[in-house]
Structures are given as C-alpha cells and as structure tokens.
C-alpha cells in the first residue's frame, strides 16, 4: 500500500442520494458514475442494493459498465443484504462489499437492542461472509465517533481478523470536533497495530459544519481513504464535500505532503452534473465550485488580482475546470456552441435533447438580446429532466387566467389525468395561486405544497422564470420538481404537475417494491 496517497471514496450515489428530495433515476446515476470515473476517484459507492429494485439496478449497471474505480455496494451486517450486494457488484472490474453495523451504546441499545458481544459477533459473521465472495471488503462501525474508544478498537480487531481490507471510521451524526476526531484515529493506530496492514478510512457528516476539517484531521493522523460526496450533499447537513477535501490536499500539498489520484480539472463539471441531476442547487459562495468562488468584487481585491493573480488567488480557476467565461449565445449560434457549453457543465445529452434545447435557446434569443450561460443551463435542465411518457400520469392540456386590478384572479385548468379529461376552476390571491388551486382540486388531495421558489434566470422583465417546488405526501415523503418557462404562470403549473407525477410514480413503485427494513 502506498502510504503517501489518499484514496478518494465517492458516496454521492449512496449517502448523497439520501439527501432529502434528491432521488436519481438509474440513467442519471450512470451518468454521474461515468463522470466520477473521469474525475478519477478511487472508489464509487454506487448504492445500497437491498434498499430497492432501483438501487440494485443502478449498482449492477454501474458495475457492468464503469471501468477504472472500484465499484462498491453497501450492505448491513446480515446475509440477505450481503448476498444482494454481491449479486449487484460482482460484474465490476474491481468489486467491493461495504458492510456496517452500529457500535455506539445509544445505537446498540436503542436501535439494535444487542449486547456489545452480540454486535461484535454479527460484525465478524458479516465480514466473513462478504470475504467468502469478494477479496475487497470494507467494514464500518456505524456511529464510531460516539463509540467508546476501546470498544471501537475491539470491533475493528475482529473485522480485520476476518479479512476486512478497509476499516472505515464514520462520524455518522457529525458530532466530532477536528482534534478529537484526529485523536480517535491516532488512538486506533496506537492500540490496534494491525490497522497498518489495511486502509483506514473516514466518513464524516457535516451536522456541525466540521466534515471536511474532521476528514483532514484524520488524514493527518494516518487515515488514507476519505469518503464524501460531490458538493457535500447527503443525509441532513450532508457529507464531507469531496471537492473541498481534494483541493485542500492539492493546494496545500506543501503541508500534507500527500498525493491524490484525481484530475482536479473535472471537479467543476462533476459538481454541475450532480447539482443539475439532483436538483440540489449550490450556494453562490460554496468553496471551490460556487459561482462566486473565483469572483473578486471589492475594488482593492480587483486591483490586487489585476497586478498579480497570486495576491488573492490561492488556486487557479482552471485547475478545477472553471473557465469562467459567460459565453453569450445568440440566435446565430448553432448546436455546437450549445453542446460545448453544456458539456462543460457536465451534461450528457442525446441528440434529440440537444435539438430541443437548441431550438428553445434560439427562440429565446429571438425575444431577448442576450442568452446567457444560466439561461442555456436552465433550459437544458428542464429538458433533460422531462418525465418519460409513462411517468406523466397527469398532463396539462390548457389553462387560462383572468386577473386585473381590483378583481380576484380566477383560473380555469384542463388536465389529462390518467387518460381522463378533467376541468376545474380556481380563485386565489394571485394568478399562480388561482392556477394551483384549480390543479389541487383535480389531483392535489393527497399532497401539500411545502415550498415554492421563483427565480428570474438572468434578470430583466423578459427573463426566463425558473420555478422549484417541494410537495409532501401524507406519509411525509417529499418530492422536488422544477420547471422553466418564459411565462411564470406556465412554469409554476408545469412544476406543480411534475411534482405530482413524481409523487405518483414513486408511490406506485413503493407499492410494488416495499423497502426492506430492519437490521
Ligand atoms: O454515516 C454512516 O455511518 C454511514 C455508514 C453506512 C458508513 O453512512
Ligand atoms: Zn453516512
């Protein structure tokens, strides 16, 4: 094992996909996995095969087609999970089974209801079974950061004795402070000398905002694999942001003296792809990949940067693949200009999608002087997120709205609901409210609109309207949808209908394939 190299383990498709509202389709997961291979991550955790048919399918397709990184699947410490995981990852060039069991007192007593000895026994059996299938086995004591140090060491010893090749120490609830977490890794190296024969990994959640700092502290104390997600997405406040971990190691190589095997120029593209496919937008000031990461606003900074970039720039934007040019597309730009821009943004589109996007961009360019990068991205996102015909149980046929000063807006909406035409009228505080009230009357009884967000893409009264919404069903499941249109009322109606379709399709899938629960 090369001790000067930090392995990058990407769990965007597994832990990242557990971000509320971020569910991805199989083809979207495949696109992200191919991009992660281009980025050069060492391991892709492609999913949790027992969780659903969709997860199994995604892991197995990624295992069959993505070459380069190790392809890993997650399994709880029980034979059913491990068998299913092996079935999914087996076709990979380099398969890995990642099995885990919770070890902290609170999880053992309140979730598993098992004694410390029983948990060690389950961990042993799980690693033994995984090892009988696959040479490459990772073991995680879940909630390790809240597990007593000596018990954590006992569990790790048992897993290594059964043949685990990577030991991952998770801070499952993002509770640790950096020096404390670094100390935990040092303790492990001191008390369990056999960890030197395996890879010690860390997996930090960001509940207190410490995920990247904790991961780096662990590296300083001997960890040589870091788990995280592109854009730091994941359960609750997310996982360690991989682009931040990577650029710390690369930019401060003088300090860490360690290497990573990734092509940092693919970071920006990876970030945009994950953001556009999950619908999880980046904050503008997000480190490394946010819109403002390389922007200098203050006069004194601009002056410094113009004299010498080194005054305020610690990284070059092109090192993360950010070209920064706000390429303007006009009505004379062809599909190649559109394709080049979208490729840079991480989109992988088929020729029909490119044709549709180019046509919309040209139509917009006819109406507004400049079509900017953000406009093209919004149109592409809208078209690449279109639901397939089978997924459109509800379709908008037509709508009309009457509004004016001193009158209550009223709307009439005609929908095709699973093949049957329905018409309803609605009134509301504004025209959008009136249209959505009409839609709810026909199909909304089971859903609540939790969030409505309207953004004008590039400013001006003729700007594209970008509407994102969040619906919640009666079981508390949330669905996000987004739509773009030149007409704000149409964009809103399309987003609500897309959300309802997503909810209906997902409820139908859950009815056919109920999730497997319980350790
Ligand atoms: O956060 C966690 O503990 C996990 C494990 C499955 C590694 O995601
Ligand atoms: Zn996690």
């Amino acid at each position: 094992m090369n001790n000067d190299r930090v392995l990058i383990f990407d769990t965007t498709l597994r832990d990242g996909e557990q971000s509320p509202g971020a569910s991805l389709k199989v083809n979207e997961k495949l696109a992200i996995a191919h991009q992660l291979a281009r980025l050069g991550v060492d391991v892709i955790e492609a999913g949790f095969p027992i969780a659903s048919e969709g997860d199994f399918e995604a892991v197995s397709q990624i295992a069959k087609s993505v070459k380069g990184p190790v392809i890993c699947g997650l399994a709880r410490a029980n034979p059913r999970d491990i068998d299913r995981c092996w079935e999914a990852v087996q076709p990979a060039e380099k398969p890995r089974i990642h099995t885990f069991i919770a070890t902290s007192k609170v999880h053992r007593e309140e979730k598993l209801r098992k004694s410390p000895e029983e948990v060690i026994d389950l961990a042993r059996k799980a690693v033994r079974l995984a090892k009988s299938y696959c040479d490459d086995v990772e073991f995680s004591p879940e909630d390790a950061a809240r597990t007593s140090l000596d018990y954590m060491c006992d569990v790790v010893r048992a897993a290594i004795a059964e043949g685990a090749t990577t030991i991952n120490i998770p801070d499952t609830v993002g509770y640790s402070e950096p020096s404390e977490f670094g100390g935990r890794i040092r303790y492990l190296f001191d008390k369990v000398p056999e960890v030197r024969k395996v890879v010690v990994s860390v997996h930090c959640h960001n509940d207190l905002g410490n995920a990247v700092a904790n991961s780096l502290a662990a590296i300083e104390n001997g960890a040589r694999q870091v788990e995280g997600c592109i854009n730091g997405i994941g359960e609750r406040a997310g996982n360690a942001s991989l682009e931040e971990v990577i650029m710390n190691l690369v930019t401060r190589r003088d300090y860490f003296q360690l290497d990573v095997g990734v092509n940092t120029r693919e970071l920006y593209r990876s970030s945009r792809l994950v953001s556009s496919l999950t619908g999880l937008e980046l904050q503008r000031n997000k480190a490394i990949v946010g819109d403002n990461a390389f922007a200098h606003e203050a006069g004194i900074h601009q002056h410094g940067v113009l004299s010498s970039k080194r005054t305020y720039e610690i990284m070059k934007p092109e090192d993360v693949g950010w070209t920064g040019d706000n390429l303007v597309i006009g009505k004379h730009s062809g599909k190649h200009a559109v394709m080049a821009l979208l490729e840079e943004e991480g989109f992988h589109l088929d020729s029909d999608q490119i044709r549709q996007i180019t046509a919309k961009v040209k139509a917009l360019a006819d109406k507004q002087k400049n079509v900017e990068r953000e406009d093209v991205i919004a149109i592409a996102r809208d078209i690449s997120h279109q639901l397939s015909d089978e997924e459109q149980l509800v379709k908008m046929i037509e709508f009309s709205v009457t509004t004016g000063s001193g009158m209550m807006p009223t709307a009439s909406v005609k929908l095709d609901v699973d093949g049957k035409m329905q018409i309803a009228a609605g009134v509301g505080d504004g025209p959008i409210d009136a249209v959505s009230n009409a839609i709810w009357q026909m199909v909304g009884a089971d859903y609540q609109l939790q969030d409505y967000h309207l953004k004008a893409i590039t400013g001006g009264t003729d700007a594209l309207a970008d509407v994102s919404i969040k619906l919640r069903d009666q079981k508390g499941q949330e669905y996000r949808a987004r739509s773009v249109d030149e007409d704000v009322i149409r964009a809103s109606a399309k987003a609500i209908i897309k959300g309802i379709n997503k909810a209906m399709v997902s409820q139908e899938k859950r009815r056919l394939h109920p999730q497997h629960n319980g350790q």
Side-chain angles (χ1 to χ4, degrees):
M1 194 182 67
N2 175 0
N3 213 33
D4 297 333
R5 167 90 188 272
V6 177
L7 301 172
I8 302 297
F9 178 116
D10 180 282
T11 183
T12 306
L13 297 175
R14 199 277 298 167
D15 221 333
E17 213 229 359
Q18 288 171 225
S19 303
S23 84
L24 293 162
K25 296 193 213 152
V26 173
N27 63 340
E28 295 171 331
K29 290 189 182 180
L30 259 174
I32 292 177
H34 281 291
Q35 177 56 30
L36 292 171
R38 266 192 294 276
L39 172 63
V41 302
D42 298 281
V43 186
I44 296 176
E45 186 161 61
F48 190 6
I50 194 106
S52 68
E53 286 302 315
D55 247 39
F56 178 87
E57 191 51 32
V59 179
S60 117
Q61 287 205 26
I62 290 169
K64 285 177 194 147
S65 71
V66 178
K67 306 292 172 210
V70 168
I71 306 298
C72 172
L74 184 69
R76 288 165 297 188
N78 69 57
R80 258 171 24 97
D81 275 39
I82 295 169
D83 288 353
R84 190 79 172 137
C85 179
W86 177 237
E87 213 186 310
V89 296
Q90 189 177 17
E93 204 175 55
K94 293 181 255 171
R96 173 179 296 183
I97 298 175
H98 176 190
T99 184
F100 72 100
I101 188 161
T103 52
S104 63
K105 188 164 183 292
V106 57
H107 276 233
R108 270 187 344 244
E109 291 178 356
E110 286 170 37
K111 180 174 84 171
L112 302 177
R113 303 193 192 288
K114 303 253 181 254
S115 69
E117 295 70 30
E118 284 172 314
V119 167
I120 294 198
D121 193 45
L122 286 170
R124 277 188 184 285
K125 287 187 177 133
V127 175
R128 194 179 308 151
L129 177 63
K131 193 74 185 178
S132 72
Y133 294 136
C134 184
D135 280 342
D136 189 345
V137 174
E138 173 165 332
F139 172 76
S140 296
E142 189 192 7
D143 204 17
R146 292 193 299 168
T147 300
S148 88
L149 283 165
D150 289 328
Y151 180 63
M152 177 186 85
C153 290
D154 290 345
V155 183
V156 166
R157 257 184 226 105
I160 296 177
E162 296 295 341
T165 41
T166 298
I167 293 293
N168 179 45
I169 304 299
D171 182 7
T172 303
V173 290
Y175 180 72
S176 277
E177 296 300 326
S179 59
E180 179 191 27
F181 195 63
R184 178 171 285 275
I185 301 302
R186 195 166 52 246
Y187 194 89
L188 184 66
F189 274 95
D190 286 348
K191 300 289 168 179
V192 189
E194 53 270 47
V195 291
R196 289 170 206 282
K197 296 205 207 95
V198 302
V199 174
V200 173
S201 168
V202 287
H203 174 115
C204 298
H205 280 265
N206 204 31
D207 299 64
L208 292 172
N210 293 338
V212 171
N214 286 346
S215 307
L216 296 172
I219 290 172
E220 287 192 77
N221 285 283
R224 287 295 176 267
Q225 176 178 285
V226 178
E227 303 194 357
C229 299
I230 298 293
N231 300 338
I233 64 171
E235 286 265 32
R236 308 179 309 277
N239 288 65
S241 147
L242 275 187
E243 62 279 7
E244 292 178 25
V245 172
I246 292 166
M247 287 315 285
N248 267 277
L249 293 171
V250 171
T251 310
R252 298 304 314 276
R253 199 187 174 289
D254 61 316
Y255 177 78
F256 290 100
Q257 309 257 319
L258 294 167
D259 298 319
V260 284
V262 298
N263 174 3
T264 61
R265 286 172 179 260
E266 291 292 335
L267 282 173
Y268 182 78
R269 200 195 300 264
S270 309
S271 160
R272 296 297 144 144
L273 182 66
V274 168
S275 166
S276 73
L277 293 182
T278 56
L280 300 174
E281 285 207 45
L282 284 177
Q283 77 209 50
R284 290 188 80 85
N285 61 331
K286 165 82 179 63
I288 318 297
V289 287
D291 283 351
N292 291 356
F294 296 99
H296 301 275
E297 183 83 20
I300 189 168
H301 287 199
Q302 284 180 347
H303 173 72
V305 171
L306 288 175
S307 325
S308 161
K309 289 201 166 175
R310 290 205 338 229
T311 49
Y312 288 99
E313 258 182 27
I314 59 163
M315 297 166 272
K316 291 205 246 41
E318 55 271 29
D319 290 346
V320 301
W322 194 78
T323 56
D325 54 350
N326 201 0
L327 197 124
V328 176
I329 301 247
K331 59 183 164 200
H332 302 299
S333 311
K335 79 171 185 220
H336 293 292
V338 172
M339 256 165 68
L341 184 155
L342 292 174
E343 235 164 63
E344 199 173 287
E345 290 292 329
F347 283 85
H348 297 273
L349 301 156
D350 60 35
S351 50
D352 190 46
Q353 288 171 324
I354 291 165
R355 190 188 47 70
Q356 289 184 52
I357 294 165
T358 312
K360 277 210 162 187
V361 168
K362 283 180 179 244
L364 188 65
D366 271 338
K367 292 193 197 139
Q368 91 188 28
K369 219 170 43 224
N370 291 332
V371 178
E372 292 182 17
R373 198 177 189 93
E374 284 72 21
D375 294 314
V376 182
I377 295 167
I379 291 172
R381 204 185 262 153
D382 196 41
I383 288 185
S384 60
H385 277 200
Q386 263 167 11
L387 303 178
S388 65
D389 279 349
E390 309 84 77
E391 289 166 328
Q392 291 188 50
L393 302 171
V394 180
K395 293 191 190 98
M396 165 74 86
I397 304 298
E398 59 188 35
F399 74 88
S400 65
V401 186
T402 315
T403 185
S405 69
M407 68 177 284
M408 181 152 237
T410 54
S412 134
V413 178
K414 184 168 176 188
L415 298 180
D416 172 337
V417 182
D418 221 359
K420 275 206 217 119
M421 289 302 161
Q422 296 195 20
I423 298 183
V427 289
D429 293 336
I432 297 172
D433 198 32
V435 169
S436 55
N437 285 340
I439 297 174
W440 295 131
Q441 284 186 43
M442 292 177 272
V443 281
D446 295 341
Y447 311 106
Q448 262 185 350
L449 184 63
Q450 291 286 305
D451 230 354
Y452 171 91
H453 189 70
L454 166 67
K455 191 167 97 182
I457 310 246
T458 45
T461 47
D462 55 357
L464 280 181
D466 181 356
V467 173
S468 4
I469 57 117
K470 189 165 85 186
L471 299 183
R472 178 175 288 171
D473 68 14
Q474 285 167 331
K475 292 202 169 128
Q477 195 85 22
E478 290 179 347
Y479 308 90
R480 284 174 199 272
R482 185 168 183 174
S483 199
V484 170
D485 202 283
E486 289 141 56
D487 181 306
V488 60
I489 304 174
R490 200 165 37 231
S492 309
K494 274 166 43 183
I496 293 173
I497 289 175
K498 207 186 237 182
I500 292 172
N501 276 316
K502 276 189 167 178
M504 286 177 159
V505 169
S506 149
Q507 283 163 343
E508 181 61 8
K509 275 194 192 144
R510 266 183 286 137
R511 198 180 60 75
L512 295 175
H513 305 290
Q515 293 228 341
H516 305 254
N517 287 319
Q519 179 88 36

